[in-house]
Amino acid sequence: MENDQVGQKNVFYISDGTAITMEVLGHAVLSQFPIEFVQKTYPFVESRERAEQIRAQIDALFESTGERPIVFHSIVSDEIKRIILASGGFCHDVIESLITPLSEELDMTPQATLHRTHGLTRQNLARYDARIAAVEYALAHDDGLSLRQLDEAQVILVGVSRCGKTPTSLYLALQFGLRVANYPFIAEDMTSLDLPRTLQPYRQRLFGLTISPERLSRIRTERRSGSRYASLRQCRLELDEVEQLFRRYRIPWLDTTNYSVEEIATRLIDTMGIDRRIF
């Protein structure tokens, strides 16, 4: 049934952990509906007092607006969960809706544990350490700051200045634990259409990023307004040359103009055939 209502709906994400999972799943679901949502997140709801405070907020909104707030929740404690369910909100346990049929399929009873997904448990401590090491590597090898230890890089991002290399490097490190270096092509590289000697041994790890000239000019203008560096003509020239270089060396590349950093990272991983591990 279509809903043409124009307005705002109140949404609560409530969890006894970080609430990150709730937000991700909730955002994915809500994005299907063309209305505005006022979203509030409440992590680490582990006490009866805090749960009662949140329930009071939900009930107050219900009373003042006449519409039930949407409540996405994931709570291990039955006592805390009952408090939230007693509110006037439209409550949905996203995790439980997946666990119940999976439990039946596996013929196994799940073992609910606090902070298992994002907490520092014995099982995920090594993965956490690897992720932090990947972030440190990305920062040390950002924008060509260091060309040492490139043999440790799983991906080397290349492209013109301000095309999205740094945020993509950090996202890949933080989300997937990948060691990513990035290198900005300078005028000498593009004029000769030659790959820098330092990068040539690692051609199989290179991935290029490009962007529309108009978008690049706007981004650069925010940094250096009125400069040749930010001019549309200069942006067109650099992008044309770097894309020729990508084609010459058969470097896989992506136009990032209309993609979020999440989409860029995911397409990169898929294109390069990298084992995808979410931390």
Side-chain angles (χ1 to χ4, degrees):
M1 182 175 181
E2 292 185 359
N3 187 349
D4 295 326
Q5 178 183 358
V6 178
Q8 295 182 333
K9 288 280 190 179
N10 290 287
V11 180
F12 287 72
Y13 299 107
I14 306 171
S15 173
D16 48 21
T18 63
I20 292 173
T21 302
M22 286 297 92
E23 288 179 316
V24 170
L25 292 174
H27 290 169
V29 173
L30 297 179
S31 67
Q32 307 302 310
F33 300 93
I35 59 176
E36 290 187 33
F37 295 96
V38 178
Q39 304 177 61
K40 301 178 181 179
T41 302
Y42 296 91
F44 305 117
V45 181
E46 300 173 295
S47 70
R48 181 182 181 87
E49 180 183 9
R50 181 162 163 78
E52 293 282 9
Q53 291 172 351
I54 296 170
R55 184 181 74 172
Q57 293 182 46
I58 295 171
D59 290 343
L61 277 172
F62 184 20
E63 184 176 347
S64 64
T65 65
E67 296 183 345
R68 289 197 294 172
I70 299 168
V71 179
F72 293 105
H73 65 92
S74 177
I75 301 169
V76 171
S77 167
D78 288 334
E79 179 186 18
I80 304 300
K81 186 183 298 185
R82 281 195 296 270
I83 293 172
I84 299 303
L85 291 175
S87 72
F90 173 74
C91 300
H92 188 67
D93 189 333
V94 180
I95 302 300
E96 185 63 30
S97 67
L98 297 173
I99 286 179
T100 300
L102 186 58
S103 177
E104 294 175 358
E105 178 66 24
L106 296 174
D107 192 23
M108 182 182 297
T109 302
Q111 299 178 357
T113 305
L114 281 171
H115 313 313
R116 174 172 287 177
T117 304
H118 297 286
L120 284 183
T121 63
R122 183 170 58 184
Q123 291 84 355
N124 67 19
L125 183 57
R127 293 190 303 168
Y128 177 81
D129 289 343
R131 182 171 58 168
I132 297 304
V135 171
E136 291 174 344
Y137 183 90
L139 291 171
H141 294 79
D142 179 43
D143 220 18
L145 286 175
S146 174
L147 298 178
R148 294 180 297 176
Q149 298 177 311
L150 284 182
D151 57 310
E152 295 182 11
Q154 293 165 276
V155 179
I156 302 174
L157 293 175
V158 290
V160 300
S161 171
R162 311 302 288 180
C163 68
K165 300 184 299 301
T166 296
T168 303
S169 297
L170 290 172
Y171 183 82
L172 286 166
L174 190 59
Q175 185 74 1
F176 299 101
L178 295 176
R179 294 194 172 213
V180 183
N182 77 75
Y183 180 91
F185 284 128
I186 59 176
E188 292 179 5
D189 301 323
M190 292 180 288
T191 299
S192 61
L193 285 182
D194 201 12
L195 197 64
R197 185 176 302 176
T198 309
L199 299 180
Q200 290 185 10
Y202 309 107
R203 283 175 56 181
Q204 297 305 312
R205 305 182 197 181
L206 300 181
F207 190 90
L209 297 183
T210 186
I211 192 171
S212 75
E214 294 78 13
R215 173 78 172 138
L216 181 61
S217 178
R218 287 197 298 271
I219 293 171
R220 288 183 173 184
T221 295
E222 292 177 2
R223 187 179 186 186
R224 290 167 57 181
S225 179
S227 66
R228 178 172 176 269
Y229 165 80
S231 70
L232 184 58
R233 183 174 184 275
Q234 180 64 23
C235 291
R236 282 175 175 159
L237 176 65
E238 290 184 25
L239 289 167
D240 180 63
E241 291 176 341
V242 81
E243 289 173 16
Q244 288 184 56
L245 191 148
F246 290 159
R247 286 188 284 268
R248 177 180 178 184
Y249 284 94
R250 297 183 179 179
I251 297 171
W253 54 284
L254 177 69
D255 184 338
T256 66
T257 305
N258 297 311
Y259 292 128
S260 67
V261 67
E262 294 88 350
E263 292 172 310
I264 296 168
T266 303
R267 288 177 179 274
L268 181 155
I269 288 173
D270 184 56
T271 299
M272 300 193 75
I274 296 172
D275 182 31
R276 177 169 172 165
R277 298 171 297 158
I278 298 179
F279 286 78

